[in-house]
Amino acid sequence: MLKPLLIEIGVEELPAVPLLKELKNIEKKYAAILEKNSLFCDFEFYYTPRRLVIWHEKFPTSQADSVEEFFGAPLKVAYKDGEPTPAANGFAKKCGVALSEIGKGEKGGKEVLYYKKDVKGQESTELLNGMINTWIKSLEFGKSMRWGSLEESFIRPIRWVNVMLDDTLVNIELFGVKSYKATFVHRISNFDAITIDTAKEYFETLREGGVTLFSCDRREKILSDFKSIEEETGFGIEIDDDLLNEVIAITEHPTALLGTFDEAFLRLPPEVIITSMKEHQRYFPVFKDGKLINKFCVVSNALTNNFSLVIEGNEKVLRPRLADGLFFYDNDLKNGLKTDGLEKVTFFKGLGSVADKITRETKIANTLFEMYTPNASKEDLQKSIHLAKADLMSEMVYEFTELQGLMGGYYAKAAGENEEVVTAITEQYLPDGEESALPSTPLSAIVAMSLKLDTLLALFSVNQIPTGSRDPFALRRAVNGLVRITKEHNFSFDVVRTLKDLACGYENIDMEKLESFFLERVKQYFKGVNPSVIEAVLASGERELLALGQKIEALDKIVNSKGFSEYSSTFKRVANITKDIDLADVKYINKCLFDVEAEAALFKRYCEVKECTYDNYELELEALLGLKPELDKFFEDVMVNVEDEAVKNNRKALVASVYKSILKIADIKEVSI
C-alpha cells in the first residue's frame, strides 16, 4: 500500500553557506538510505532556514516480501558415511533451523546444502526512526554544536520533528526530540506550534502562515521584485548568483526592498562599497547607466504590509559599515603605499616572509621580461613588483582581504604612479577563476605570472604538493592561470626548459613531479577535447604551451572531421612498421634503390609536402595526412621486408620519414575515436 509521507526536521536558523555546500549531497544520502532499506521511491526535498523537509507523495507502508537463499558446503563435505559433519550442522545453525529442514541445491555444477526462506517485509513505521537518524547524522555541514545535556552534535539545535504517514504520526526521536503532529510557521504570523491532522494539510498550513517552502518559488519572488524595482526606477540591480542563493537559503518569506545610503560614501572605491554590502549585509548593489549609485537592495524576511521600518533599519546598519570603510580608506591614503613591515609577515613556514617572496618574484619577473621583451620599461616592472604586496599592510585590506591588489592599485594611482604600474598592481592576481578576466597588458601579465610561478615553485620546494582534491594554496588554479595568460599574450613557455631555468635558487624541487603536475592541468584546460588527442600531441614531445595548444586544437579539429577513421587506420600502420626504428637515425633515402613505382610516387609526393610552408599546424597536418593515397598504394604494391637489406632499410626509412614528420605534431597511433 502507498501513502503520503511527510518528514519535517525543525531547526534553529541554518547558516546559508554550510547548507548550500552540502545541498548537492542531501538528496543523494537520503536516496541511498531508502535503497538500503528496500523502500526506494520518488521523493522531493525542500528547505528553509528553519526546516529540512522530505515529501513522498506515495510511500510504501512496508517493505516488499522477499525470498532469502542460502548455499552451503558440497554434500560430499557436509556428510561422511551418511552422517552430518560439522559443516552441515554449522550451516543449519546459520540458517536458524533444524538440520532436517536443510535441502540440497546446485551451485557451480556441484550439489550443495541449500535453504530457502520467505522473508516478510518490515513495516515502514518500524524502520523510519533509524532511517531518519542515519540520514540527518550523515549530513556534513562543517562545524557543529551541542545543546542541553546531549553528547551528540548538529549544525544547529533540533527544535521539532514531525513525521506523518498520511494521518498517522510516526514515532521518531531525533537528538532527544520526539515527533508530534505539528509545525511552525513564520514567527511574525504565529510563534506557537500549529497542529496538523494529515500530511497533505502541511503545505496549506505553511502557505497560510507566511512560509514559502519551495526554494524555486522564493527565487522567483526575489527576481520578480528586482524586476519591478528596476522598471519603476530605471536602475539596474547586480545579481550575484552566490549571494542570491544565500538570500534564498535564509528567508522564508522574501521581499526585495530598495534602500539608500549617504552619497558622500561614493567617494570610496566601488569595490569597497559592494564588498561591504555583500559580505556583511547580503545587500545587492544598484547601478544607473553602469555606475554604482547610493542605493542598495535588501531582501527582507519580514511578514508585513509596511516595510518602511525594515528599510530604515537596514539603512542604519549599513551606515557604520561604510563609515568604517571610509575611515580605513582615508587613513591608507594618508599613510601611502609602503612595504615597511612585510618582512614581518610570514608567507609560509620555511619560505620566509612576504618580503622574501617579493625578492623571488623580482628575479622571476626579470627573467620573463628578458624572454618576452614587452613594450614597457624595466623600471615600471621593478616598481610594480616592489609595490604589489604593499596593500597587505593597509587597514582596508586587513578588513577586506579579498580586496588585496585592487586596493593597491587605487593607492598607487593616488600616489601618482603611472597607468602601467597601477594596472599591474591591480591585476596581479588575475585570473582568479575559470571565467575570470586576464591581465590586460604584457607588463601586467608578467607580474601576474611571477606571483603564480613563485608560489608554485616555492611550495613544491617544501613538498606542499596538492593531493587528491586537496589544494589549499590553489596551485592548480595558478597553473590554469599561467596557461591562459601565455595564450592570451602569445608568450612562449616551455614546461620543461622554462620551469627548470626559473627553478634555480629553489631547493629540493622534484622537477618530474612539477612537470607532471603542470601537464595534468594543461590536460584539464582542454577538458572539452578527446583525451587521446591531448595524449597524442604530448607523445610528440612538445612541451611549449603555445605550440602545444595549437597542435591540440589542430588535431582535435581533424579528428572530429568526417572520414578521419580511414586516415587513422593507414597512419597507425605507418607507426607500426616503424616501431623498431630509431627515428633520430632516419636521415637519408636513396632514390636509386626504388624499384617499384609506388615507392617513387610516395617519395615524390612526400618531398612536395615537406617543401611547403604552412600557416598553421592544421594545414600542415592535413597535408601530411593527404599522403594516405600514396601510402595505401605503397602498402599494396611494395613488400617492405625483402631479403635485400639495403632495399628493406631504404623502404623502412621512407615510411619512417613520413611518420617522423607527423610525429612533430602528434603521434596519430595514440588517437582513439
Side-chain angles (χ1 to χ4, degrees):
M1 186 182 296
L2 300 173
K3 290 184 178 181
L5 172 67
L6 168 71
I7 301 171
E8 182 187 45
I9 313 299
V11 294
E12 288 188 6
E13 271 77 358
L14 293 166
V17 174
L19 172 63
L20 293 171
K21 283 183 178 178
E22 180 67 359
L23 200 57
K24 63 181 182 296
N25 300 317
I26 292 177
E27 291 186 48
K28 292 178 185 176
K29 290 179 176 180
Y30 181 70
I33 292 168
L34 289 175
E35 187 79 49
K36 184 178 180 180
N37 286 272
S38 302
L39 289 171
F40 188 81
C41 56
D42 291 338
F43 69 92
E44 293 179 355
F45 169 72
Y46 313 121
Y47 67 92
T48 76
R50 298 180 68 202
R51 69 200 79 228
L52 302 173
V53 179
I54 295 286
W55 169 247
H56 291 270
E57 192 169 353
K58 296 177 180 179
F59 187 77
T61 55
S62 67
Q63 295 173 323
D65 295 340
S66 60
V67 173
E68 271 191 275
E69 292 184 293
F70 300 86
F71 293 91
L75 293 185
K76 63 182 181 181
V77 175
Y79 293 92
K80 294 293 185 184
D81 301 324
E83 294 297 320
T85 66
N89 291 323
F91 181 69
K93 186 177 180 180
K94 174 185 173 183
C95 296
V97 295
L99 183 59
S100 59
E101 295 182 56
I102 300 297
K104 63 180 180 179
E106 187 177 315
K107 188 175 184 182
K110 296 178 181 179
E111 282 194 318
V112 297
L113 296 175
Y114 174 75
Y115 180 70
K116 179 179 77 171
K117 70 176 180 179
D118 295 326
V119 180
K120 184 170 178 57
Q122 282 186 271
E123 294 294 316
S124 299
T125 51
E126 298 173 8
L127 298 167
L128 281 169
N129 185 63
M131 291 169 60
I132 292 170
N133 271 273
T134 300
W135 170 55
I136 288 295
K137 292 170 185 178
S138 73
L139 302 183
E140 298 175 7
F141 295 111
K143 291 183 179 179
S144 60
M145 59 188 295
R146 291 199 296 266
W147 61 97
S149 59
L150 290 174
E151 291 297 321
E152 296 177 298
S153 62
F154 192 57
I155 184 171
R156 288 293 184 270
I158 303 292
R159 291 309 184 201
W160 77 90
V161 177
N162 182 6
V163 181
M164 298 175 65
L165 190 60
D166 197 10
D167 60 352
T168 304
L169 177 70
V170 181
N171 292 320
I172 302 293
E173 184 170 343
L174 183 63
F175 291 98
V177 178
K178 294 182 179 180
S179 58
Y180 59 107
K181 293 171 72 171
T183 189
F184 285 79
V185 295
H186 197 291
R187 285 194 177 95
I188 297 176
S189 173
N190 193 326
F191 197 79
D192 299 321
I194 297 178
T195 302
I196 54 177
D197 294 322
T198 69
K200 288 190 174 181
E201 281 183 22
Y202 172 75
F203 299 98
E204 188 60 35
T205 301
L206 289 189
R207 196 160 36 246
E208 290 176 355
V211 176
T212 304
L213 179 61
F214 310 136
S215 60
C216 57
D217 289 348
R218 299 199 296 276
R219 176 184 293 273
E220 188 176 326
K221 173 65 164 58
I222 294 168
L223 293 177
S224 175
D225 287 353
F226 282 173
K227 186 176 180 182
S228 296
I229 291 171
E230 288 176 329
E231 289 174 350
E232 289 173 12
T233 63
F235 302 152
I237 301 168
E238 182 182 270
I239 301 173
D240 180 306
D241 285 338
D242 290 338
L243 179 58
L244 178 60
N245 289 333
E246 279 193 54
V247 169
I248 290 167
I250 61 173
T251 56
E252 291 191 323
H253 188 84
T255 304
L257 308 168
L258 186 66
T260 303
F261 60 86
D262 194 325
E263 201 168 353
F265 291 122
L266 290 176
R267 186 163 64 82
L268 280 166
E271 294 86 355
V272 174
I273 298 173
I274 292 170
T275 301
S276 182
M277 290 196 297
K278 284 184 177 181
E279 296 297 319
H280 295 300
Q281 306 303 138
R282 295 192 178 95
Y283 296 162
F284 294 82
V286 179
F287 294 79
K288 185 174 183 180
D289 300 326
K291 186 177 181 181
L292 184 72
I293 59 174
N294 62 321
K295 301 285 182 182
F296 64 90
C297 259
V298 57
V299 178
S300 168
N301 192 41
L303 193 64
T304 179
N305 291 321
N306 182 3
F307 287 98
S308 58
L309 289 177
V310 176
I311 295 171
E312 184 181 336
N314 280 278
E315 290 174 343
K316 284 182 178 179
V317 168
L318 181 59
R319 181 178 177 80
R321 292 286 187 187
L322 296 181
D324 285 347
L326 195 57
F327 175 78
F328 298 147
Y329 184 60
D330 286 338
N331 272 0
D332 289 339
L333 289 175
K334 190 191 326 179
N335 294 330
L337 202 56
K338 299 176 182 177
T339 59
D340 298 345
L342 288 178
E343 69 280 357
K344 298 177 183 178
V345 180
T346 302
F347 168 55
F348 187 80
K349 185 179 179 181
L351 295 174
S353 66
V354 173
D356 295 323
K357 179 171 173 58
I358 292 172
T359 300
R360 295 193 302 267
E361 286 182 16
T362 301
K363 184 179 176 182
I364 292 174
N366 287 335
T367 301
L368 296 180
F369 191 89
E370 297 302 323
M371 284 173 59
Y372 303 140
T373 59
N375 185 21
S377 75
K378 196 76 171 283
E379 182 184 352
D380 285 345
L381 175 71
Q382 302 292 343
K383 189 167 285 188
S384 299
I385 293 288
H386 177 68
L387 295 176
K389 310 296 184 298
D391 67 355
L392 294 177
M393 303 306 296
S394 69
E395 293 182 37
M396 186 69 80
V397 171
Y398 183 82
E399 180 70 15
F400 299 110
T401 56
E402 61 268 50
L403 295 181
Q404 57 189 280
L406 197 67
M407 293 313 302
Y410 279 109
Y411 297 148
K413 187 172 184 178
E417 300 295 346
N418 66 43
E419 197 61 34
E420 278 276 17
V421 173
V422 170
T423 301
I425 293 172
T426 303
E427 297 180 346
Q428 63 182 294
Y429 295 102
L430 296 181
D432 54 8
E434 283 192 23
E435 305 300 322
S436 165
L438 292 165
S440 58
T441 70
L443 183 69
S444 179
I446 289 173
V447 171
M449 287 179 71
S450 301
L451 183 154
K452 291 171 173 57
L453 284 163
D454 172 67
T455 301
L456 188 68
L457 293 165
L459 288 167
F460 261 76
S461 75
V462 291
N463 202 34
Q464 292 298 313
I465 303 171
T467 55
S469 60
R470 285 190 71 258
D471 188 9
F473 306 105
L475 297 187
R476 293 186 178 100
R477 189 170 69 192
V479 175
N480 287 346
L482 289 165
V483 174
R484 290 183 62 198
I485 290 172
T486 54
K487 184 177 180 182
E488 175 73 14
H489 290 277
N490 203 35
F491 286 168
S492 175
F493 191 97
D494 191 287
V495 175
V496 176
R497 289 197 297 271
T498 307
L499 281 180
K500 187 176 180 181
D501 291 343
L502 296 176
C504 291
Y506 297 84
E507 297 180 357
N508 305 319
I509 295 182
D510 186 327
M511 292 306 297
E512 285 189 13
K513 278 188 179 179
L514 178 57
E515 290 157 15
S516 176
F517 176 78
F518 210 105
L519 291 174
E520 193 57 43
R521 301 320 302 163
V522 172
K523 294 176 189 177
Q524 293 301 313
Y525 176 77
F526 292 100
K527 56 188 174 185
V529 175
N530 178 338
S532 70
V533 167
I534 301 172
E535 293 297 342
V537 174
L538 288 173
S540 73
E542 183 63 74
R543 293 297 181 267
E544 196 284 306
L545 289 179
L546 288 179
L548 193 62
Q550 291 164 3
K551 289 178 180 181
I552 288 171
E553 289 168 0
L555 180 58
D556 184 54
K557 191 170 182 180
I558 289 172
V559 167
N560 288 317
S561 65
K562 188 176 179 181
F564 175 75
S565 57
E566 295 178 10
Y567 287 104
S568 179
S569 60
T570 295
F571 286 91
K572 283 184 178 181
R573 187 173 180 184
V574 169
N576 189 53
I577 287 175
T578 60
K579 64 183 178 182
D580 297 325
I581 298 175
D582 184 352
L583 297 179
D585 290 339
V586 178
K587 298 173 182 175
Y588 177 71
I589 299 167
N590 189 350
K591 292 190 290 182
C592 297
L593 294 176
F594 293 160
D595 59 9
V596 180
E597 185 179 339
E599 286 180 282
L602 174 59
F603 182 70
K604 178 174 182 260
R605 186 79 188 87
Y606 170 66
C607 289
E608 290 172 355
V609 169
K610 282 288 290 177
E611 288 169 4
C612 287
T613 302
Y614 302 95
D615 292 335
N616 54 57
Y617 291 116
E618 185 182 345
L619 292 175
E620 185 176 358
L621 198 51
E622 283 177 346
L624 288 165
L625 294 177
L627 294 171
K628 174 179 166 54
E630 287 77 15
L631 282 165
D632 288 342
K633 186 65 174 170
F634 176 88
F635 292 137
E636 184 180 335
D637 295 352
V638 178
M639 173 70 72
V640 176
N641 292 316
V642 294
E643 289 185 9
D644 189 319
E645 197 71 19
V647 173
K648 179 176 72 172
N649 290 338
N650 199 56
R651 288 173 177 173
K652 282 190 174 184
L654 175 56
V655 177
S657 295
V658 175
Y659 180 55
K660 186 176 180 181
S661 295
I662 293 175
L663 190 58
K664 288 179 180 177
I665 300 175
D667 191 349
I668 297 294
K669 75 174 186 297
E670 298 295 327
V671 177
S672 56
I673 53 175

